[in-house]
């Protein structure tokens, strides 16, 4: 059972100025030391003022209880059913290094690792080698490996021990088991086809791994490679085609830029900080009517368990809200892709707070932009995938359904 | 993609007294002049008292962001998935003039219009001719036109320039393109079949239009006719079959009477005012266990942008609540089919407030029946199509699902 999809024929073209400000991992839970969530602890007069003029609520990225990765949660934010539009980890990694994928590409996330003389994994991250070493090894592998079936290899550094491997060839499938054993003291697993038609790809992967073992054998600590998250890119209907919105992505991190590119948003040049991002948006107001603006640090500090810095990041973003509002948007949404409570040091399933401000809002009585207040707001609790419907409605971009 | 449907086998027969009071277009947004919604502005002690003893919430007629026509929103109120049960505009118009449809009827909404010497539309509404002129023209067309394939023509006045045309014949389909160009300065469009099987109907429509042009040519300003919203009536499963409720519709306006008839509710004679309606319900308590009572004026004043009169209508309805409660219903629901904020002068997508009062209620702490308070109520935010489930449950008409 998936969620109801917006009927195509109610979407109409027009001119709008819509800002979707996404504070990655914003949602939290009360930290026992402070007895507050990060949002409750932050001094954020501008967001609170905006909340007073908005309607607020909480959104479930996938469904209650489900902790989403960045892929599904962003697809939901962009109005794509995250259960239908799941993106493989390999593909996400390829997007994250700005790799231009084709429909013949089988991608996997790679870890350089250390194996002992018996071939057992002793460090799944090869002592976190530098990105420079990683890059040299990728080049060497790319130069030396020859794949069967005329397949082509691309291997690109992510950072430290992480890389992406792409196998390009006809008739490949993503249904291949991980070779990363996810533990030490055992050898890497053999890749195996998860259905008969995936055998060709699996053979190619096996050949790659055999050759890589030989090529890396003297490169201690990075003397092995582990693969996981095999995936092909599914083509998605473009954001413009679905919503008739000319959309621009303002994001610094490659993965979010890649996610936006996957649905054919235009990705603007990366900026140093949020001031520069707002300046950039200002110069592009005539070219686009939808701006997705991504803030990463709320999530990073959440993952690090750094409550105080996550609070500070919220406060910094809060201080930029007036410059954003000075651009006179028709619709402003502030929300998160998922929760990353710093006390949990990880993504979580808790619904994320959202505020939506527009002339046609039914303003509720929420006066603070935090998880607890928003849960009592006028939007209530809603699947995240429906947020785009609300955005379109308040931008005057949906016509009546039925007579 | 549809919503989960109530399993048939949990519905049980029984005796109940259920009132579903629908204030059409009740939901609003804050009017900038008053900083309140119509419900917030209204003095409505009886509805507020009822809210205190009820559970409250807000309902999405179709899905968040979607502005429904009266058709889909009423289908949702009656427990029918509005995305599966969309009703064509032509059919709704036919229902609106109390036309008795058969399964061989192809219906379209008609506008009398004005075309110039070159055949270009100069007024899509023929100067809003009077209903009397409209009626004379309908009669003339009905008398003079001879349709091919032995098809029969019915043409009935709605009001002013609006009419309904029904083509009755075997093997017709609704997949025919509008002839109304929706703009002036161009000729009416030719009707075209949208799939090969719709050709017969399309030929009949074309013949009608050719003859109508000739018949109307000296009837300036109503010298042309534009058709849109071609549709056949899809048969719906009856309300009784689905819910085992003997239902009566108490509605004054033909379209709502027609919608009720579409699912085989019994439609009671139209009454002058709400007092008469309540008197009528009192006499029918032994015959029916579900009464759908429709109030139109909240919507009409909303469409007119008349905040004050919409408020007054709410206050008038409020004053009748005690007489309704004096009939000792088991379940009372007060809600709307959709929102019609007077500041927007149109239907809108905002969810509608709802209260449900019954002995088995989990009473929440809502003390005012308005959109903002209800959003914090115990029902939360729910798809409207599930309201019937709640009604049935609180009437003791649903048995346990599974062991």
């Amino acid at each position: 059972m998936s969620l109801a999809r917006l009927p195509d024929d109610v979407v109409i073209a027009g001119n709008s100025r819509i800002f979707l400000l996404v504070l990655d991992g914003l949602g939290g839970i009360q930290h026992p030391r402070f007895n507050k969530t990060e949002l409750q602890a932050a001094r954020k007069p501008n967001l609170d003022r905006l909340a007073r003029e908005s309607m607020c609520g909480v959104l479930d990225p996938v469904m209650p209880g489900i902790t989403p990765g960045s892929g599904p949660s962003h697809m939901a934010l962009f109005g794509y059913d995250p259960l239908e539009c799941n993106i493989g980890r390999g593909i996400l990694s390829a997007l994250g290094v700005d790799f231009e994928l084709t429909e013949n590409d089988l991608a996997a996330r790679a870890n350089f690792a250390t194996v002992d003389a018996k071939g057992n994994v002793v460090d799944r991250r090869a002592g976190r080698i530098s990105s420079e070493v990683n890059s040299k090894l990728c080049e060497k592998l790319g130069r030396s490996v020859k794949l069967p079936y005329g397949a082509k290899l691309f291997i690109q550094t992510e950072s430290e021990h992480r890389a992406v491997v792409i196998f390009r060839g006809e008739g490949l499938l993503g249904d291949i088991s991980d070779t990363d054993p996810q533990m030490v003291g055992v050898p890497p697993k053999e890749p195996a086809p998860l259905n008969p038609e995936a055998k060709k790809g699996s053979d190619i992967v096996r050949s790659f791994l055999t050759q890589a073992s030989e090529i890396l054998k003297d490169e201690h600590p990075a003397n092995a490679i582990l693969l996981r998250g095999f995936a092909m890119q599914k083509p998605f209907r473009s954001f413009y085609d679905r919503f008739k919105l000319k959309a621009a992505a303002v994001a610094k991190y490659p993965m979010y830029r890649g996610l936006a590119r996957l649905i054919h948003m235009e990705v603007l040049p990366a900026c140093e900080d949020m001031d520069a991002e707002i300046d950039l948006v200002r110069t592009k107001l005539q070219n686009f009517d939808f701006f997705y603006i991504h803030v990463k640090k709320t999530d990073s500090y959440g993952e690090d368990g750094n409550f105080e810095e996550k609070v500070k990041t919220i406060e910094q973003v809060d201080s930029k809200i007036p410059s954003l509002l000075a651009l006179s948007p028709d619709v402003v949404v502030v929300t998160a892709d998922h929760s990353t409570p710093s006390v949990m040091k990880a993504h979580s399933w808790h619904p994320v707070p959202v505020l939506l401000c527009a002339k046609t809002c039914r303003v509720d009585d929420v006066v603070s932009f935090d998880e607890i207040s928003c849960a009592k707001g006028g939007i209530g609790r809603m699947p995240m995938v429906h947020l785009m419907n609300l955005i379109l409605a308040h931008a005057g971009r949906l016509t009546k359904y039925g007579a």
Side-chain angles (χ1 to χ4, degrees), chain A residues 25 27-29 38 302 310 339-348 350:
Chain A
I29 63 174
E38 297 88 339
K310 189 172 165 191
S339 295
T340 307
S342 49
V343 69
M344 294 175 71
K345 297 187 180 183
H347 290 201
S348 81
H350 303 84

Side-chain angles (χ1 to χ4, degrees), chain A residues 248-316:
Chain A
V250 180
K252 206 166 154 182
Y253 281 70
M255 200 216 287
Y256 307 95
R257 299 167 63 80
L259 282 164
R261 204 177 289 117
L262 211 55
I263 52 171
H264 307 282
M265 281 190 188
E266 183 149 331
V267 178
L268 301 184
C271 300
E272 247 331 285
D273 56 26
M274 203 167 163
D275 285 326
E277 287 177 335
I278 294 172
D279 286 343
L280 177 61
V281 169
R282 189 180 300 112
T283 67
K284 297 291 184 181
L285 289 174
Q286 302 314 313
N287 307 85
F288 301 99
D289 47 13
F290 181 97
F291 292 87
Y292 150 64
I293 305 168
H294 180 255
V295 175
K296 176 65 181 170
K297 285 200 302 179
T298 29
D299 179 60
S300 315
Y301 287 126
E303 297 256 14
D304 293 346
N306 194 333
F307 185 91
E308 290 91 337
E309 287 300 321
K310 189 172 165 191
V311 169
K312 269 192 209 156
T313 305
I314 294 167
E315 293 177 343
Q316 280 158 13

Side-chain angles (χ1 to χ4, degrees), chain A residues 209-273:
Chain A
L209 289 168
T210 311
Q211 296 176 61
S213 288
E214 189 55 30
I215 295 162
L216 296 175
K217 70 169 190 280
D218 298 325
E219 301 286 353
H220 189 89
N223 63 358
I225 198 161
L226 307 174
L227 300 179
R228 63 198 159 111
F230 289 97
M232 303 288 290
Q233 182 188 340
K234 283 182 269 184
F236 291 109
R237 217 175 131 193
S238 80
F239 190 78
Y240 180 80
D241 189 45
R242 288 198 56 201
F243 303 125
K244 304 279 174 281
L245 291 173
K246 296 185 289 291
V250 180
K252 206 166 154 182
Y253 281 70
M255 200 216 287
Y256 307 95
R257 299 167 63 80
L259 282 164
R261 204 177 289 117
L262 211 55
I263 52 171
H264 307 282
M265 281 190 188
E266 183 149 331
V267 178
L268 301 184
C271 300
E272 247 331 285
D273 56 26

Side-chain angles (χ1 to χ4, degrees), chain A residues 332-355:
Chain A
V332 181
V333 172
V334 184
T335 189
D337 53 345
H338 55 76
S339 295
T340 307
S342 49
V343 69
M344 294 175 71
K345 297 187 180 183
H347 290 201
S348 81
W349 60 88
H350 303 84
V352 301
V354 62
L355 69 76

Side-chain angles (χ1 to χ4, degrees), chain A residues 28-263:
Chain A
I29 63 174
Q30 284 84 359
H31 194 294
R33 202 143 39 91
F34 306 92
N35 204 23
K36 286 183 173 175
T37 70
E38 297 88 339
L39 265 174
Q40 287 180 314
R43 225 187 70 80
K44 44 174 178 35
N46 297 300
L47 284 167
D48 289 345
R49 191 175 317 123
L50 193 56
R52 265 194 288 276
E53 299 164 12
S54 299
M55 26 185 243
C56 297
V58 292
L59 306 175
D60 284 297
V62 177
M63 71 173 89
I66 295 287
T67 297
S70 300
S73 59
H74 263 76
M75 292 312 284
L77 273 179
F78 295 153
Y80 292 70
D81 185 334
L83 289 172
E84 279 179 15
C85 300
N86 201 7
I87 301 163
R89 175 180 293 268
I91 294 298
L92 271 180
S93 291
L95 296 176
V97 296
D98 257 336
F99 185 83
E100 271 210 33
L101 288 161
T102 74
E103 59 184 17
N104 288 324
D105 292 349
L106 169 65
R109 171 165 280 193
N111 268 17
F112 286 105
T114 313
V115 295
D116 64 16
K118 290 181 191 154
N120 289 330
V121 176
V122 292
D123 183 349
R124 287 180 54 248
R125 295 180 185 83
R128 292 190 186 270
I129 50 167
S130 70
S131 302
E132 289 70 39
V133 172
N134 178 320
S135 176
K136 263 182 24 196
L137 295 176
C138 285
E139 206 188 307
K140 189 171 174 184
L141 287 166
R143 206 171 49 231
S144 316
V145 170
K146 299 288 172 258
L147 296 180
Y149 300 106
K152 279 191 74 175
L153 175 72
F154 302 87
I155 173 161
Q156 275 187 239
T157 301
E158 277 192 77
S159 72
E160 297 181 325
H161 55 286
R162 290 187 299 274
V164 194
V165 186
I166 294 109
F167 305 93
R168 182 172 293 169
E170 304 268 311
L172 305 185
L173 277 185
D175 308 322
I176 298 172
S177 64
D178 292 354
T179 75
D180 185 341
Q182 298 282 354
M183 54 165 69
V184 295
V186 296
K189 296 183 177 180
E190 292 287 316
L194 299 175
N195 79 51
E197 284 145 59
K199 183 166 182 307
K200 178 178 172 184
S202 173
D203 286 349
I204 292 171
V205 171
R206 189 184 305 261
S207 165
F208 164 74
L209 289 168
T210 311
Q211 296 176 61
S213 288
E214 189 55 30
I215 295 162
L216 296 175
K217 70 169 190 280
D218 298 325
E219 301 286 353
H220 189 89
N223 63 358
I225 198 161
L226 307 174
L227 300 179
R228 63 198 159 111
F230 289 97
M232 303 288 290
Q233 182 188 340
K234 283 182 269 184
F236 291 109
R237 217 175 131 193
S238 80
F239 190 78
Y240 180 80
D241 189 45
R242 288 198 56 201
F243 303 125
K244 304 279 174 281
L245 291 173
K246 296 185 289 291
V250 180
K252 206 166 154 182
Y253 281 70
M255 200 216 287
Y256 307 95
R257 299 167 63 80
L259 282 164
R261 204 177 289 117
L262 211 55
I263 52 171

